[in-house]
Amino acid sequence: MSFTRRLKEYARQQGIPLVGATAAHPFTEAIETVEDYQKRGLMVPFVQVDDPARYDPRLILPGAKTVVAVGLWQPPPDAPGSGVARFAHGYDYHHRVTGALEKLGHFITKHYPNAGWKAMADTGPLVDRTAAWRAGLGWVGHNCLLHAPGLGSWVSLGELVTDVELEPDVPVPSECHGCDACRAACPTGALVAPGRLDASRCLSYLTQTKGWLPVEFRHALGVRIYGCDTCQEVCPVNRALPSARDSDIHIPAGTPECLPTGVPAIPGPAAVLGCAKGEFAKLWGHTAFAWRGRQVLRRNAAVALGNLGDPAAVPVLQQALADPNPLIRGHVAWALGRIGGKAARQTLERVLGGEPDTRVGQEIRQALSQ
Ligand code: B12
C-alpha cells in the first residue's frame, strides 16, 4: 500500500471523515476569487487578502510538496434554536481540526523522520476552502460553502502543508445546480452573485463584528447570537442528507478532537446577556465563539431578546440598562423599544435624563419614539 493510502487509512481510523491531498501549487482559484471580490468592491473581513502566503503553500513551508486537507463533521447541535450556528457548537473547531491534523503530521514524521509539516485550520494564512476543493473533499456551492459528498456543507476545514510528496486527489464535480435557494433565502441579500458574499450584509459577519450593529440589520438578526446558517439550511443538498449521521461516521473512542462533546449547553439569550464576567470563560471558553468575547455576544443577545418580543425579558433588560458598557446599554434600549409596553417605556423614560453617553441617549430616544 502506498504511503498516501496508509495515511488516509490512518486518518479514517482516527475518526477523520474527510481527507485528501493536492500538490502545493499556488492557489490560483483563490487569487481569481479575491480579485473578483475587489473588482466588485466587496471586502473579505478578518483576513489579510494581500498576504502572498494565503495563496502559496511554499511560502508557508519552504520546499512544500503537498497540502493535505481534512474536514471534520459538525453534528446537529444538542440545543437547536440557541441562536448559535452549528459550526460553533461543542469544542472549538480550530482546536479539533488542528488536533486531527497534528495526528497526521506525527504519522508522517514516524515514516519520514526528516519531514517538515505545518498544520492550520483557519489559524494560518491559507484559504481553507480552496485547499479542500483542490484536495477533492467537495465542491463549492453558490452559498460559497464547501459541500462534501454525504456530509453536505456541515464540515469544518483545515490543512497540513508538508514537504513529503503524496499522490494528489482530483476535485469532485459540483452538485450545485444553481437553484439559488441560498441566495433567495439570505435575509439580507448578502449573496450578491453565485459564490460571492457581501460580508458587510452577512448576518454571520455582523454577529462576529465589534461595535454598534447597524439599525437596518437588527430585525433581520432575529435570534442569532453567533453565526448564521440560513444559506446552508435551505440548500437542497443539505436537506437531502439523512438527519442522523452518527452511525455512518466512524468516530473511535479516544479521539475527542473529532467529536464535540462535554461543553455545557448554550442557553437562551437572557442567560447570555446576564452572563457575569468570570462566568463567560468558565462556561464557553472552549467554544469557537469565545474569541469574540463576552460583550459582542451580550450585544447580540440583547438584540435577540428584542426580536423575540417577549415582555418576560423586560426585567433582565432593565438590569442590563445599568451596564457600564454603552454598547450594551444602547442595544438594550433598542430591545426595550422593540418589545414595547408600559414597563419597557417607563424604564427608558427613567434612565433617559441620567444617560451620560450621547449615542446611548439617541438609542433611548429612538426606542421611545417607536
Ligand atoms: C473571512 C471568513 C468569513 C467571512 C467572509 C466569508 C466569505 N464568503 O469570504 C464571514 C465572517 C462572513 C464568514 C462567514 C461564514 N463562515 Co467563514 N471563514 C472566513 C475565512 C477566515 C476566510 C475566507 C476567505 O478567505 N474568503 C475569501 C475567498 C477567496 O475564499 P473563500 O470564500 O473561502 O473560498 C472561495 C475560493 O476558494 C473559491 N474557490 C474554491 N474552489 C474553487 C474552484 C473554482 C473552479 C473556482 C473558480 C473558485 C473556487 O470559491 C470559494 C467560495 O467563494 C475562512 C477560514 C480560512 N482561513 O480560509 C472561514 C471559513 C470559510 N468559514 C467557514 C464557515 C463555517 C462560515 C459560516 C458558515 C459560519 C456561520 N455559520 O455563520 C459563514 C458562511 C458565510 C458564507 N456564506 O460564506 C468555514 C467554511 C466551511 C465550509 N464547509 O465551507 C471556513 C473554511 C472555516 C473553517 N476552517 O472551517 N466567514
Side-chain angles (χ1 to χ4, degrees):
M1 201 195 282
S2 73
F3 179 69
T4 308
R5 280 189 59 196
R6 275 157 68 200
L7 180 71
K8 286 182 179 176
E9 193 51 44
Y10 175 73
R12 293 211 174 90
Q13 282 165 10
Q14 297 304 309
I16 303 167
L18 299 172
V19 58
T22 183
H25 295 152
F27 283 11
T28 44
E29 302 84 6
I31 295 173
E32 281 160 18
T33 307
V34 162
E35 280 172 359
D36 188 62
Y37 268 79
Q38 287 172 336
K39 244 187 265 157
R40 292 168 186 265
L42 302 172
M43 64 152 175
V44 180
F46 304 134
V47 294
Q48 237 188 303
V49 285
D50 55 358
D51 177 359
R54 283 190 72 67
Y55 315 102
D56 194 344
R58 295 164 309 184
L59 298 177
I60 292 169
L61 183 79
K65 296 264 174 19
T66 310
V67 177
V68 178
V70 304
L72 294 190
W73 184 51
Q74 303 162 359
D78 296 336
S82 67
V84 173
R86 189 155 156 172
F87 80 118
H89 280 258
Y91 280 110
D92 188 339
Y93 75 86
H94 299 94
H95 302 316
R96 293 194 301 112
V97 180
T98 309
L101 287 163
E102 282 172 351
K103 285 193 167 186
L104 301 190
H106 294 310
F107 188 83
I108 292 174
T109 307
K110 220 168 95 189
H111 292 79
Y112 297 97
N114 296 324
W117 54 266
K118 272 189 187 166
M120 64 212 80
D122 191 13
T123 49
L126 280 181
V127 180
D128 297 338
R129 288 198 273 226
T130 307
W133 174 76
R134 284 191 165 206
L137 263 48
W139 42 270
V140 176
H142 278 197
N143 58 4
C144 304
L145 271 289
L146 181 111
H147 296 68
L151 297 177
S153 63
W154 307 113
V155 287
S156 298
L157 306 172
E159 59 279 332
L160 176 144
V161 183
T162 177
D163 51 14
V164 172
E165 196 159 343
L166 299 175
E167 292 151 27
D169 288 283
V170 286
V172 301
S174 173
E175 283 173 40
C176 178
H177 302 302
C179 71
D180 272 347
C182 51
R183 296 183 55 218
C186 176
T188 56
L191 288 161
V192 291
R196 296 293 177 266
L197 181 83
D198 179 353
S200 70
R201 309 182 64 81
C202 173
L203 295 177
S204 175
Y205 170 70
L206 290 167
T207 63
Q208 297 181 46
T209 191
K210 282 183 167 178
W212 292 75
L213 287 169
V215 179
E216 71 262 34
F217 294 125
R218 291 185 195 166
H219 286 196
L221 277 162
V223 297
R224 294 172 182 82
I225 291 177
Y226 191 79
C228 172
D229 282 336
T230 302
C231 64
Q232 298 183 82
E233 280 163 351
V234 300
C235 172
V237 173
N238 281 342
R239 292 181 86 94
L241 294 169
S243 54
R245 303 285 316 174
D246 306 66
S247 54
D248 300 343
I249 296 171
H250 172 61
I251 298 173
T255 55
E257 59 271 22
C258 297
L259 188 67
T261 50
V263 169
I266 293 153
V272 174
L273 178 62
C275 174
K277 206 172 178 179
E279 284 297 292
F280 185 80
K282 242 192 279 166
L283 285 172
W284 300 307
H286 291 97
T287 67
F289 58 82
W291 75 279
R292 199 56 292 191
R294 175 172 156 263
Q295 300 297 20
V296 166
L297 275 288
R298 292 179 70 222
R299 173 202 69 186
N300 299 344
V303 171
L305 287 172
N307 286 328
L308 280 168
D310 183 355
V314 170
V316 75
L317 288 165
Q318 274 171 337
Q319 211 178 346
L321 207 49
D323 198 273
N325 186 342
L327 183 77
I328 301 300
R329 297 200 301 278
H331 288 81
V332 163
W334 180 86
L336 284 167
R338 181 129 165 83
I339 293 174
K342 202 169 158 199
R345 205 178 166 80
Q346 279 175 348
T347 306
L348 290 166
E349 278 165 355
R350 183 167 43 78
V351 297
L352 180 60
E355 174 53 56
D357 186 276
T358 323
R359 181 116 192 220
V360 181
Q362 273 167 13
E363 291 277 355
I364 297 173
R365 273 188 291 277
Q366 248 159 35
L368 282 167
S369 70
Q370 273 186 35

